[in-house]
Amino acid sequence: MDDRGKNIRRRVNTPNADQSTTDPLLRQTQTQDENVGLKSLFVTRNRIRWYWAPVFIGLWLILYFTVAIPAFHRLPHPLNIKDEAKYPDRFIAERAEINLQKLVELGPRVVGSEANEKGAITYFHAYVQKLKSEAKDIYEIEADVQIASGSYVHWEMVNMYQNIQNFVIKVGPKNYNGTSYLLVNCHYDSVPSGPGAGDDGAMVAIMLETIRVLSKAEKPLRNPVVFLFNGAEENPLQASHAFITQHKWAKYCKALINLDSAGNGGREILFQSGPNHPWLMKHYRNAIVHPYASTVAEEMFQRHFIPSDTDFRIFRDHGKVPGLDMAHQYNGYVYHTRYDRPEILPRGSLQNTGDNVLAL
């Protein structure tokens, strides 16, 4: 035998129960073989084996029914008037509910009707007077009734309007000399067939309660907030066009929160944003209390899967104002019907949206 063979080290896989005495390279080979065997149980030719498909589908169904659906239906505990002393800076759902009831008692608020042109405006005036008497001295509250006429092209047709009304409330710090306002919009008119509790009376009630809380807050606002209660959205979208193209405060509005509804109750969904202003979504993520947003809803809405529209389009196209578009869409079958009543709107929905609007 050649003497060189004496220096050759041979590795022999000898059965041994004690793994610590097994050669390290052999242990590594054994581990790799075990991993390959385990991987082959799930994957073949870089594809997951077909019989695992029901397992993956089952996991997604479990997540959907145990996480997604309960989260969709979960609403915060609504605060009552008696809780106001304990939570002076919180949105009070019961007050918003009272606002909604008073608005609905006017009857269907069709553009041109007495309920829309006189009843709602009278109610808003009385509300503002009460606000001013109770507001902190650090705030300046102004109200304005806009009556306007105009025309524009919408859905490839000329849309003309004459003497439509907007009721506008501006809340801001005293002696403010800047030129940047936040615009919050909803509409108080309704279709002839129903009382419009969800569309859009709930958002009117939420905005009124939000103004009340802001006007009593100890910490002043950095910028004024313009609350636009527009009186002709169902026509469609005429009053928002009148505001953004003709009102004296419109040119100072640099961002928008639009509030509308295609149902009654539930959580409001953020379904449009921007466009091309990612800072809005960052602000939403950081400020929102009960987040609920969907890019799928945005794609569907902008591709006209939903045969409707909101004032967001008018502010975006005619005013170049970026913003967030949020709406209730639960109980969609009552939308624009006589069943759109306040009795089916839970206080939790008012609390959910009110918390979010106030936070934003």
Side-chain angles (χ1 to χ4, degrees):
M1 179 183 293
D2 192 343
D3 291 339
R4 289 176 297 180
K6 298 179 181 180
N7 297 324
I8 297 176
R9 183 181 178 184
R10 293 178 174 82
R11 301 184 183 275
V12 182
N13 189 5
T14 304
N16 190 345
D18 187 1
Q19 292 294 323
S20 63
T21 61
T22 305
D23 189 294
L25 291 178
L26 294 177
R27 287 205 306 268
Q28 182 179 0
T29 303
Q30 293 171 359
T31 302
Q32 290 174 349
D33 291 342
E34 292 173 357
N35 291 339
V36 170
L38 186 62
K39 181 178 180 181
S40 64
L41 183 64
F42 293 92
V43 180
T44 179
R45 296 180 181 177
N46 294 325
R47 294 182 179 179
I48 298 176
R49 292 183 180 274
W50 66 269
Y51 47 75
W52 287 105
V55 177
F56 286 101
I57 294 173
L59 289 174
W60 281 111
L61 288 175
I62 290 172
L63 287 173
Y64 179 73
F65 285 104
T66 60
V67 178
I69 290 182
F72 174 78
H73 291 284
R74 186 182 299 117
L75 295 172
H77 176 72
L79 297 181
N80 300 321
I81 293 176
K82 64 181 181 181
D83 300 318
E84 189 176 336
K86 187 177 180 180
Y87 304 105
D89 295 329
R90 290 287 305 277
F91 182 95
I92 305 298
E94 186 179 6
R95 288 193 179 277
E97 188 178 59
I98 294 172
N99 295 337
L100 175 60
Q101 191 62 48
K102 290 181 178 179
L103 187 68
V104 170
E105 287 174 355
L106 298 173
R109 301 169 302 281
V110 183
V111 177
S113 68
E114 184 174 357
N116 197 68
E117 309 306 326
K118 292 185 178 180
I121 297 299
T122 301
Y123 174 59
F124 293 147
H125 270 301
Y127 194 88
V128 170
Q129 293 304 315
K130 190 172 185 295
L131 277 177
K132 290 182 176 180
S133 65
E134 298 176 353
K136 296 287 184 180
D137 292 336
I138 57 176
Y139 293 106
E140 183 176 8
I141 301 176
E142 298 180 60
D144 182 60
V145 177
Q146 179 192 20
I147 300 176
S149 302
S151 64
Y152 62 101
V153 176
H154 180 62
W155 287 341
E156 299 182 350
M157 64 181 179
V158 176
N159 195 328
M160 302 185 67
Y161 55 91
Q162 185 175 6
N163 295 333
I164 58 93
Q165 289 192 106
N166 287 317
F167 194 90
V168 195
I169 303 174
K170 180 163 71 77
V171 182
K174 282 189 174 180
N175 303 318
Y176 178 80
N177 295 319
T179 58
S180 295
Y181 299 172
L182 171 66
L183 175 63
V184 186
N185 172 74
C186 72
H187 68 92
Y188 62 88
D189 64 313
S190 71
V191 295
S193 56
D199 181 27
D200 195 23
M203 294 305 189
V204 173
I206 287 167
M207 280 175 51
L208 290 173
E209 172 60 9
T210 300
I211 299 172
R212 186 197 67 81
V213 179
L214 286 178
S215 66
K216 291 186 174 183
E218 298 289 346
K219 185 178 179 181
L221 294 165
R222 291 177 55 189
N223 300 80
V225 183
V226 173
F227 293 88
L228 170 59
F229 300 86
N230 84 66
E233 189 266 357
E234 302 289 1
N235 281 27
L237 317 181
Q238 294 173 346
S240 55
H241 180 269
F243 174 84
I244 204 62
T245 59
Q246 301 179 44
H247 197 272
K248 60 183 179 181
W249 294 332
K251 61 182 178 181
Y252 303 121
C253 294
K254 304 299 174 60
L256 163 73
I257 299 173
N258 189 61
L259 304 172
D260 209 335
S261 178
N264 187 312
R267 303 167 62 193
E268 87 287 345
I269 182 172
L270 172 62
F271 65 100
Q272 290 191 100
S273 66
N276 302 320
H277 285 265
W279 64 270
L280 286 166
M281 287 307 303
K282 292 179 180 178
H283 185 68
Y284 177 88
R285 180 188 62 192
N286 294 332
I288 209 72
V289 182
H290 314 291
Y292 183 38
S294 173
T295 55
V296 175
E298 181 173 38
E299 294 295 334
M300 292 180 63
F301 191 84
Q302 293 182 356
R303 281 162 176 74
H304 308 295
F305 283 97
I306 301 172
S308 185
D309 212 341
T310 73
D311 291 312
F312 182 87
R313 173 191 294 273
I314 299 298
F315 296 121
R316 179 195 67 195
D317 295 350
H318 295 273
K320 308 301 180 185
V321 180
L324 304 173
D325 197 7
M326 303 189 293
H328 292 146
Q329 39 80 41
Y330 189 66
N331 287 334
Y333 52 85
V334 306
Y335 176 59
H336 284 182
T337 71
R338 66 179 184 274
Y339 301 108
D340 185 12
R341 311 187 67 83
E343 292 84 359
I344 65 172
L345 180 68
R347 282 187 185 177
S349 292
L350 297 172
Q351 189 70 51
N352 188 92
T353 305
D355 287 343
N356 286 340
V357 174
L358 182 60
L360 285 172

